[in-house]
Amino acid sequence: MTRHPRPAVPRHVAIIMDGNGRWATARHLPRVSGHSRGIDAVRAAVEQAGRRGVEYLTLFAFSSENWRRPQDEVSTLMRLFVSALQKEVGKLKEQGVRLRVVGDRAAFDPALQRLIHEAEQATAGNARLHLTVCASYGGRWDLVQAVRSLLATSPDAAALAERLTEQQLAAHLGLAFAPDPDLLIRTGGEQRISNFLLWQCAYSELYFTHTLWPDFDAAAFDAALAWYATRERRFGQTSAQVAAPAAEELRA
Ligand code: FPP
């Protein structure tokens, strides 16, 4: 397969949704109202991704480290998660969206675990857009659980070490069903990965914007896609090397 150096639309967009708290604080509102508005922005991003032909959208909703936030903020985020699942699943189903939740699900309340399972089952037949919500997720957690899972299937660690390939390990990661993200967006002005998809973002284009997540609307999504369309993706090769197959395609 020829990897085109300037693909117009990313197949997979991943987003670190940051800035809910600051959005609320700037309006003298409690931080949690920023998270509520964040859900509206999630809906807008899902719709715009579908319209633009993005196949995979992966959202960082709650990190392994977010459990350390004040208890009332954690409880509110869990309640929002439950109500979003209850309210939105029907719409996701109609829109052809397949929902998955990736993360340490055992850490959630059993009722939330059940809702997640039901939502995944209800949308399992869809394939227009694969929406993945990373919750109780960390890139390091994912790597550790992948190694555990790999060792469970091949208990002879010494033999495994001899023949282990990148593909074999990647098959045990939470996002094994998806291609690596082409574009990683982080809202809220910080320029870091914060333990998101550490393995999968090795070659992702990184887009940082000062826009706070509740303000990240369809136009902001399009601006990120427009920036992505200007990027030359080299995957470790030189500019001349990646230009050559594209030029051959034009001549053919
Ligand atoms: C970061 O903003 C955002 C979060 C920790 C939570 C993101 C959650 C949502 C958008 C709602 C739930 C999503 C789904 C898919 C149901 P922050 O609080 O760190 O903001 P700050 O940096 O301004 O404090």
Side-chain angles (χ1 to χ4, degrees), residues 38-208:
I39 304 245
D40 298 337
V42 167
R43 200 177 299 112
V46 170
E47 286 171 7
Q48 199 62 2
R51 258 182 231 121
R52 295 295 177 239
V54 170
E55 294 169 59
Y56 295 84
L57 179 66
T58 302
L59 305 175
F60 202 7
F62 192 83
S63 73
S64 312
E65 293 74 28
N66 285 154
W67 289 111
R68 296 187 211 131
R69 288 197 173 195
Q71 189 49 46
D72 62 335
E73 184 169 341
V74 171
S75 313
T76 306
L77 276 166
M78 292 302 136
R79 270 200 303 280
L80 282 175
F81 203 15
V82 167
S83 83
L85 283 171
Q86 287 169 333
K87 279 197 222 142
E88 308 288 339
V89 169
K91 210 180 303 159
L92 294 179
K93 210 171 156 187
E94 274 169 30
Q95 291 171 339
V97 179
R98 176 168 185 175
L99 176 75
R100 293 181 180 90
V101 175
V102 168
D104 181 11
R105 289 153 63 139
F108 294 130
D109 182 77
L112 177 53
Q113 291 184 40
R114 206 162 41 246
L115 265 180
I116 291 172
H117 177 72
E118 285 164 9
E120 288 181 335
Q121 293 289 108
T123 60
N126 287 343
R128 177 168 169 255
L129 173 66
H130 295 262
L131 170 63
T132 304
V133 173
C134 291
S136 192
Y137 174 88
R140 291 179 178 179
W141 167 85
D142 198 11
L143 283 162
V144 170
Q145 73 74 26
V147 171
R148 281 197 183 131
S149 151
L150 190 61
L151 284 172
T153 58
S154 356
D156 184 350
L160 180 63
E162 287 284 316
R163 58 176 166 79
L164 183 63
T165 64
E166 290 183 7
Q167 286 76 9
Q168 279 173 316
L169 180 58
H172 291 263
L173 291 168
L175 266 86
F177 57 87
D180 287 346
D182 303 293
L183 172 62
L184 171 67
I185 298 171
R186 180 173 187 144
T187 64
E190 307 291 353
Q191 302 197 357
R192 49 177 178 256
I193 303 288
S194 297
N195 199 16
F196 196 25
L197 305 164
L198 296 180
W199 174 282
Q200 297 87 343
C201 283
Y203 286 101
S204 305
E205 298 295 327
L206 308 180
Y207 179 83
F208 299 106

Side-chain angles (χ1 to χ4, degrees), residues 1-8 11 182 233-235 237 240-250 252:
M1 185 189 71
T2 310
R3 278 167 156 169
H4 200 287
R6 289 191 205 279
R11 279 189 79 194
D182 303 293
R233 309 201 63 202
R234 293 203 288 271
F235 299 98
Q237 292 188 295
Q241 282 176 304
V242 293
E248 273 163 31
E249 269 173 36
L250 284 178

Side-chain angles (χ1 to χ4, degrees), residues 5-9 205 207 223-233:
R6 289 191 205 279
V9 178
E205 298 295 327
Y207 179 83
L225 295 193
W227 173 85
Y228 173 81
T230 67
R231 304 296 304 155
E232 178 190 67
R233 309 201 63 202

